Amino acid sequence: MDEQLKWELIQAALDGEELDRITDRAAHYLGSPLVVISTTSNIIAHSASLTPPDETWLHAVERGYITLEFVATLAGWDKHKDHGTRYECITVAINDRRRRFYKLTIHSQLLGYLNVTELDGHFDAVSEEEYHFVAQLIAKEVYARLKGQDFSRKARDEDFLLELLHGSFVNRGHFIDRMRLSGFDPSAQYRVLCIELGDFLSYNADEDTFKRDLLELLPGSTMMVSDQVLVILASDRLFLPERAPAMLRNLDSYLRSQKLLCGISDAIGDLYYFSTYRDQALSAARYRKYLIDQSLAYTFYDEVKVYDILQQIPRSELIHYCSRQVYEIYQYDAAQHTDYITTLLAYLKANRSVKSTAAYLHVHRNTVNYRIARIRELFGLDLDSFSTAHQILLSCQMIRLLQD
């Protein structure tokens, strides 16, 4: 390695040169083109004087961001990282050219990624320590840039939402000042959608087809990846009765084709509470497993919020709130290998409709009638009383949590 180039790189950082200039110097030091990527997929710096003869690289730099597919894959870092390396990285081949990605972190805060593109088989000629050194130096520069950014300038909507998730605003006044510089309408209603990306894998770095497809389904939305979750802020107008049925059908079809599940929050009228509604959407996706009907790839928070409430009660205490009769059914199921709890829950959720219950459980109507009759006979349940049925339904939902 050229020690003179290394010293010039360090001196440039000490002198406070612009991030683009430092990235350019670092690229010449490593002998590889570099791209610095924010956590919202924006390309915030690249080596302008050292570029590869690669259309994918040039196209990404020209448009100013990497594909949503790729940043979603990087979010699943632990599943895709190289093995046997001293410093964590992900190495992939795109268009027969290797790329290596390093995390940019300061104080355990993820600031983005460094993309190193190989030139003429050069990767293995540079030690892991040198790549790590450059990644750390650039991470410090990105951190300083974030701390010293001009908040009087218009923010990218994705960065604004990320600030909300990170609790970056001192107070509501600070939030309002930043809101004025965003593209969001303070009087509009929105919904938050969350798609967990734990098993997502795509090294498509060319056309941003994932984002394009989602914008066709949810036009005008803002999307970003945070903590292995794709977070989407969409207009609540998309969920109006005249638009929602067709949109949700298309969304369900697309999610299934991609083997993805989505949670959808309640409507939000104040983006100051964006993180709360993000949590709602996450809960909707994660508590979907407790629903009897899991035929759709999306779940509204309203369908599962009772489980969110029940989760606040310690497991050891939850049973004390459960109906005695329902707990007896739970014990009977365990001893006799029956599944009366699920039948009872489906029956009550279906407003005691035998036909709907049979459809939920994929059994014949006679089977439902037999099971409900046996439940009444064995446990003396009065399912015709609204108050009793409500208590039993809630208790069945408690049992669902306890069975997990």
Side-chain angles (χ1 to χ4, degrees), residues 264-266 279-281 283-284 299-305 308:
I264 304 172
S265 77
D266 294 338
D279 292 344
Q280 281 191 3
S283 294
T299 307
F300 284 94
Y301 180 65
D302 196 51
E303 299 176 79
V304 299
K305 61 176 56 174
D308 213 358

Side-chain angles (χ1 to χ4, degrees), residues 67-80 193-202 210 214 223-232 254-255 258-262 282 285-286:
T67 66
L68 189 62
E69 288 107 314
F70 215 106
V71 77
T73 298
L74 291 175
W77 185 271
D78 290 339
K79 290 188 177 182
H80 311 310
L193 293 81
C194 283
I195 301 173
E196 295 195 78
L197 299 167
D199 297 321
F200 188 89
L201 176 62
S202 170
F210 191 29
L214 287 169
M223 52 194 72
M224 62 181 182
V225 175
S226 175
D227 297 328
Q228 296 189 52
V229 175
L230 174 60
V231 183
I232 304 171
Y254 180 74
L255 291 170
Q258 301 296 315
K259 296 181 173 59
L260 297 171
L261 298 174
C262 175
L282 279 176
R286 291 171 180 173

Side-chain angles (χ1 to χ4, degrees), residues 316-328:
S316 58
E317 298 177 17
L318 192 61
I319 197 64
H320 299 308
Y321 299 96
C322 184
S323 157
R324 176 187 57 80
Q325 292 165 302
V326 171
Y327 188 67
E328 288 177 357

Side-chain angles (χ1 to χ4, degrees), residues 214-286:
L214 287 169
L215 284 174
E216 286 181 1
L217 294 164
L218 304 162
S221 297
T222 301
M223 52 194 72
M224 62 181 182
V225 175
S226 175
D227 297 328
Q228 296 189 52
V229 175
L230 174 60
V231 183
I232 304 171
L233 186 70
S235 171
D236 188 49
R237 292 194 302 271
L238 296 171
F239 295 86
L240 293 175
E242 62 270 22
R243 302 182 64 178
M247 182 275 289
L248 290 172
R249 277 197 305 272
N250 292 334
L251 178 63
D252 179 62
S253 177
Y254 180 74
L255 291 170
R256 289 186 176 284
S257 71
Q258 301 296 315
K259 296 181 173 59
L260 297 171
L261 298 174
C262 175
I264 304 172
S265 77
D266 294 338
I268 170 175
D270 186 349
L271 287 182
Y272 189 65
Y273 300 105
F274 173 68
S275 62
T276 298
Y277 287 81
R278 185 279 311 267
D279 292 344
Q280 281 191 3
L282 279 176
S283 294
R286 291 171 180 173

Side-chain angles (χ1 to χ4, degrees), residues 79-92:
K79 290 188 177 182
H80 311 310
K81 66 184 179 182
D82 296 359
H83 298 289
T85 58
R86 182 175 179 183
Y87 301 104
E88 289 190 2
C89 62
I90 294 176
T91 304
V92 298

